[in-house]
Amino acid sequence: MNRVFQIQERYLAEIARFENTSMIRDISLNWEKIHMASCAAVGRILALKRGVDAELSAIACSIHDYGRIITGKQYDHAAVGYDPLKLFLAQSGYFTSEEIELLAKAAQNHSNKKEIGSPLEEIVKDADVFDCYQYGLPLEREEQRVRLKSILEELSH
């Protein structure tokens, strides 16, 4: 199996650690599982279209909400997840230190939808927005709606 499958399998095991706890969560763990897989698929498609590493893009999209998994909270989850995500990725043994930093930075910066980041960061931001859109979740911030419009235009060509 490839690294996308391997890290998603580990991510699902991480989610499972929280399933029978009394932690009050802002977002259900069922959504986290669905979002992980569908975001990865969207990220791979965007990466292929943009000429970015499709495997790393799918992985980054899979794990971008790690901070929310471990805290249960939406607020500041991207920043809070940075160091724990680096540890999670390092413990997997699948990535170089450079890849770990790229993946963790993409997760850390994915909530900053107004800012333009690395190509990998942009894929995570765009896949996140598109995935929420495809499941009918509200895009409450203007920068999310602007991104969605741009993504839909890109995918129509």
Side-chain angles (χ1 to χ4, degrees):
M1 293 287 171
N2 65 27
R3 293 191 302 175
V4 176
F5 178 84
Q6 291 170 319
I7 203 65
Q8 285 182 345
E9 198 169 49
R10 290 180 66 91
Y11 198 74
L12 287 171
E14 190 73 357
I15 290 171
R17 289 186 330 110
F18 295 96
E19 285 183 329
N20 295 315
T21 67
S22 60
M23 178 187 288
I24 297 172
R25 308 191 69 80
D26 292 342
I27 310 251
S28 78
L29 289 174
N30 283 339
W31 167 251
E32 301 294 7
K33 294 175 201 175
I34 291 165
H35 189 51
M36 173 202 67
S38 57
C39 226
V42 171
R44 180 181 294 279
I45 291 165
L46 291 174
L48 291 170
K49 187 155 180 65
R50 296 175 185 178
V52 178
D53 185 306
E55 181 191 46
L56 276 184
S57 295
I59 290 166
C61 289
S62 295
I63 61 173
H64 75 276
D65 281 329
Y66 189 78
R68 196 169 60 215
I69 298 298
I70 61 172
T71 67
K73 302 299 175 203
Q74 174 69 17
Y75 177 77
D76 209 24
H77 73 282
V80 170
Y82 175 75
D83 287 323
L85 179 57
K86 285 177 65 172
L87 181 61
F88 173 78
L89 293 169
Q91 288 173 340
S92 77
Y94 304 141
F95 306 102
T96 66
S97 59
E98 292 82 15
E99 289 172 325
I100 289 169
E101 184 61 26
L102 283 171
L103 293 165
K105 274 288 185 198
Q108 181 184 41
N109 294 328
H110 85 271
S111 291
N112 299 328
K113 304 284 197 281
K114 286 183 182 178
E115 298 174 19
I116 303 299
S118 72
L120 184 63
E121 290 172 23
E122 290 304 294
I123 285 172
V124 174
K125 292 173 188 180
D126 290 347
D128 189 31
V129 165
F130 187 85
D131 198 47
C132 291
Y133 161 77
Q134 77 174 343
Y135 285 102
L137 297 177
L139 300 177
E140 296 170 350
R141 299 187 329 253
E142 178 64 20
E143 61 268 21
Q144 292 170 312
R145 294 186 293 274
V146 167
R147 275 187 182 271
L148 177 63
K149 183 178 182 207
S150 177
I151 297 160
L152 292 174
E153 288 174 7
E154 175 184 359
L155 293 176
S156 70
H157 297 103

